[in-house]
PDB file of all heavy atoms in Angstrom:
ATOM      1  N   ASP Q 110     -54.307 -38.146-119.112  1.00 47.00           N
ATOM      2  CA  ASP Q 110     -53.871 -38.813-120.367  1.00 47.00           C
ATOM      3  C   ASP Q 110     -54.752 -40.020-120.591  1.00 47.00           C
ATOM      4  O   ASP Q 110     -55.684 -40.315-119.808  1.00 47.00           O
ATOM      5  CB  ASP Q 110     -52.389 -39.208-120.261  1.00 47.00           C
ATOM      6  CG  ASP Q 110     -52.107 -40.045-119.037  1.00 47.00           C
ATOM      7  OD1 ASP Q 110     -52.845 -41.047-118.790  1.00 47.00           O
ATOM      8  OD2 ASP Q 110     -51.108 -39.758-118.349  1.00 47.00           O
ATOM      9  N   ALA Q 111     -54.543 -40.721-121.713  1.00 45.00           N
ATOM     10  CA  ALA Q 111     -55.436 -41.820-122.081  1.00 45.00           C
ATOM     11  C   ALA Q 111     -55.288 -43.020-121.145  1.00 45.00           C
ATOM     12  O   ALA Q 111     -56.202 -43.828-121.096  1.00 45.00           O
ATOM     13  CB  ALA Q 111     -55.107 -42.242-123.508  1.00 45.00           C
ATOM     14  N   THR Q 112     -54.189 -43.109-120.379  1.00 45.00           N
ATOM     15  CA  THR Q 112     -53.990 -44.255-119.550  1.00 45.00           C
ATOM     16  C   THR Q 112     -54.405 -44.021-118.094  1.00 45.00           C
ATOM     17  O   THR Q 112     -54.508 -44.955-117.335  1.00 45.00           O
ATOM     18  CB  THR Q 112     -52.494 -44.669-119.546  1.00 45.00           C
ATOM     19  OG1 THR Q 112     -51.727 -43.580-119.021  1.00 45.00           O
ATOM     20  CG2 THR Q 112     -52.037 -45.009-120.937  1.00 45.00           C
ATOM     21  N   ASP Q 113     -54.696 -42.785-117.762  1.00 45.00           N
ATOM     22  CA  ASP Q 113     -55.066 -42.488-116.393  1.00 45.00           C
ATOM     23  C   ASP Q 113     -56.387 -41.750-116.382  1.00 45.00           C
ATOM     24  O   ASP Q 113     -56.440 -40.515-116.488  1.00 45.00           O
ATOM     25  CB  ASP Q 113     -53.964 -41.617-115.716  1.00 45.00           C
ATOM     26  CG  ASP Q 113     -54.203 -41.531-114.203  1.00 45.00           C
ATOM     27  OD1 ASP Q 113     -55.204 -42.071-113.720  1.00 45.00           O
ATOM     28  OD2 ASP Q 113     -53.360 -40.904-113.521  1.00 45.00           O
ATOM     29  N   THR Q 114     -57.472 -42.528-116.324  1.00 43.00           N
ATOM     30  CA  THR Q 114     -58.804 -41.911-116.326  1.00 43.00           C
ATOM     31  C   THR Q 114     -59.346 -41.740-114.957  1.00 43.00           C
ATOM     32  O   THR Q 114     -60.456 -41.269-114.798  1.00 43.00           O
ATOM     33  CB  THR Q 114     -59.753 -42.802-117.136  1.00 43.00           C
ATOM     34  OG1 THR Q 114     -59.798 -44.117-116.558  1.00 43.00           O
ATOM     35  CG2 THR Q 114     -59.313 -42.884-118.593  1.00 43.00           C
ATOM     36  N   GLY Q 115     -58.593 -42.093-113.894  1.00 51.00           N
ATOM     37  CA  GLY Q 115     -59.076 -41.936-112.535  1.00 51.00           C
ATOM     38  C   GLY Q 115     -58.723 -40.587-111.961  1.00 51.00           C
ATOM     39  O   GLY Q 115     -59.239 -40.230-110.904  1.00 51.00           O
ATOM     40  N   VAL Q 116     -57.836 -39.848-112.563  1.00 51.00           N
ATOM     41  CA  VAL Q 116     -57.403 -38.605-112.045  1.00 51.00           C
ATOM     42  C   VAL Q 116     -57.865 -37.483-112.996  1.00 51.00           C
ATOM     43  O   VAL Q 116     -57.666 -37.595-114.215  1.00 51.00           O
ATOM     44  CB  VAL Q 116     -55.870 -38.499-111.874  1.00 51.00           C
ATOM     45  CG1 VAL Q 116     -55.428 -37.170-111.336  1.00 51.00           C
ATOM     46  CG2 VAL Q 116     -55.356 -39.625-111.015  1.00 51.00           C
ATOM     47  N   VAL Q 117     -58.469 -36.449-112.459  1.00 52.00           N
ATOM     48  CA  VAL Q 117     -58.945 -35.351-113.287  1.00 52.00           C
ATOM     49  C   VAL Q 117     -58.302 -34.049-112.797  1.00 52.00           C
ATOM     50  O   VAL Q 117     -57.953 -33.896-111.648  1.00 52.00           O
ATOM     51  CB  VAL Q 117     -60.490 -35.211-113.254  1.00 52.00           C
ATOM     52  CG1 VAL Q 117     -61.135 -36.459-113.832  1.00 52.00           C
ATOM     53  CG2 VAL Q 117     -60.965 -34.985-111.847  1.00 52.00           C
ATOM     54  N   ARG Q 118     -58.155 -33.118-113.725  1.00 51.00           N
ATOM     55  CA  ARG Q 118     -57.495 -31.856-113.402  1.00 51.00           C
ATOM     56  C   ARG Q 118     -58.338 -30.702-113.984  1.00 51.00           C
ATOM     57  O   ARG Q 118     -58.850 -30.787-115.095  1.00 51.00           O
ATOM     58  CB  ARG Q 118     -56.073 -31.801-113.997  1.00 51.00           C
ATOM     59  CG  ARG Q 118     -55.360 -30.477-113.762  1.00 51.00           C
ATOM     60  CD  ARG Q 118     -53.980 -30.532-114.415  1.00 51.00           C
ATOM     61  NE  ARG Q 118     -53.164 -31.546-113.760  1.00 51.00           N
ATOM     62  CZ  ARG Q 118     -52.046 -32.030-114.276  1.00 51.00           C
ATOM     63  NH1 ARG Q 118     -51.631 -31.613-115.453  1.00 51.00           N
ATOM     64  NH2 ARG Q 118     -51.365 -32.935-113.623  1.00 51.00           N
ATOM     65  N   THR Q 119     -58.545 -29.717-113.155  1.00 48.00           N
ATOM     66  CA  THR Q 119     -59.238 -28.475-113.646  1.00 48.00           C
ATOM     67  C   THR Q 119     -58.308 -27.313-113.395  1.00 48.00           C
ATOM     68  O   THR Q 119     -57.143 -27.451-113.069  1.00 48.00           O
ATOM     69  CB  THR Q 119     -60.548 -28.304-112.857  1.00 48.00           C
ATOM     70  OG1 THR Q 119     -60.230 -28.077-111.463  1.00 48.00           O
ATOM     71  CG2 THR Q 119     -61.432 -29.523-112.958  1.00 48.00           C
ATOM     72  N   ARG Q 120     -58.864 -26.140-113.551  1.00 47.00           N
ATOM     73  CA  ARG Q 120     -58.035 -24.939-113.461  1.00 47.00           C
ATOM     74  C   ARG Q 120     -57.404 -24.828-112.081  1.00 47.00           C
ATOM     75  O   ARG Q 120     -56.233 -24.392-111.945  1.00 47.00           O
ATOM     76  CB  ARG Q 120     -58.864 -23.706-113.734  1.00 47.00           C
ATOM     77  CG  ARG Q 120     -58.068 -22.396-113.737  1.00 47.00           C
ATOM     78  CD  ARG Q 120     -58.988 -21.243-114.137  1.00 47.00           C
ATOM     79  NE  ARG Q 120     -60.144 -21.125-113.302  1.00 47.00           N
ATOM     80  CZ  ARG Q 120     -60.177 -20.497-112.135  1.00 47.00           C
ATOM     81  NH1 ARG Q 120     -59.066 -19.936-111.636  1.00 47.00           N
ATOM     82  NH2 ARG Q 120     -61.276 -20.452-111.406  1.00 47.00           N
ATOM     83  N   ASP Q 121     -58.100 -25.205-111.035  1.00 47.00           N
ATOM     84  CA  ASP Q 121     -57.590 -24.992-109.671  1.00 47.00           C
ATOM     85  C   ASP Q 121     -57.744 -26.215-108.761  1.00 47.00           C
ATOM     86  O   ASP Q 121     -57.592 -26.117-107.566  1.00 47.00           O
ATOM     87  CB  ASP Q 121     -58.201 -23.768-108.986  1.00 47.00           C
ATOM     88  CG  ASP Q 121     -59.711 -23.924-108.909  1.00 47.00           C
ATOM     89  OD1 ASP Q 121     -60.225 -24.906-109.453  1.00 47.00           O
ATOM     90  OD2 ASP Q 121     -60.355 -23.034-108.356  1.00 47.00           O
ATOM     91  N   THR Q 122     -58.081 -27.359-109.314  1.00 47.00           N
ATOM     92  CA  THR Q 122     -58.344 -28.530-108.488  1.00 47.00           C
ATOM     93  C   THR Q 122     -57.820 -29.807-109.190  1.00 47.00           C
ATOM     94  O   THR Q 122     -58.001 -29.928-110.384  1.00 47.00           O
ATOM     95  CB  THR Q 122     -59.806 -28.686-108.181  1.00 47.00           C
ATOM     96  OG1 THR Q 122     -60.300 -27.504-107.577  1.00 47.00           O
ATOM     97  CG2 THR Q 122     -60.056 -29.882-107.233  1.00 47.00           C
ATOM     98  N   THR Q 123     -57.168 -30.658-108.425  1.00 48.00           N
ATOM     99  CA  THR Q 123     -56.831 -31.978-108.833  1.00 48.00           C
ATOM    100  C   THR Q 123     -57.411 -32.967-107.864  1.00 48.00           C
ATOM    101  O   THR Q 123     -57.233 -32.806-106.688  1.00 48.00           O
ATOM    102  CB  THR Q 123     -55.271 -32.145-108.943  1.00 48.00           C
ATOM    103  OG1 THR Q 123     -54.780 -31.228-109.884  1.00 48.00           O
ATOM    104  CG2 THR Q 123     -54.963 -33.566-109.387  1.00 48.00           C
TER     105      THR Q 123
END
Side-chain angles (χ1 to χ4, degrees):
D110 53 48
T112 61
D113 191 357
T114 58
V116 181
V117 296
R118 176 180 298 164
T119 64
R120 183 175 57 85
D121 58 357
T122 304
T123 299

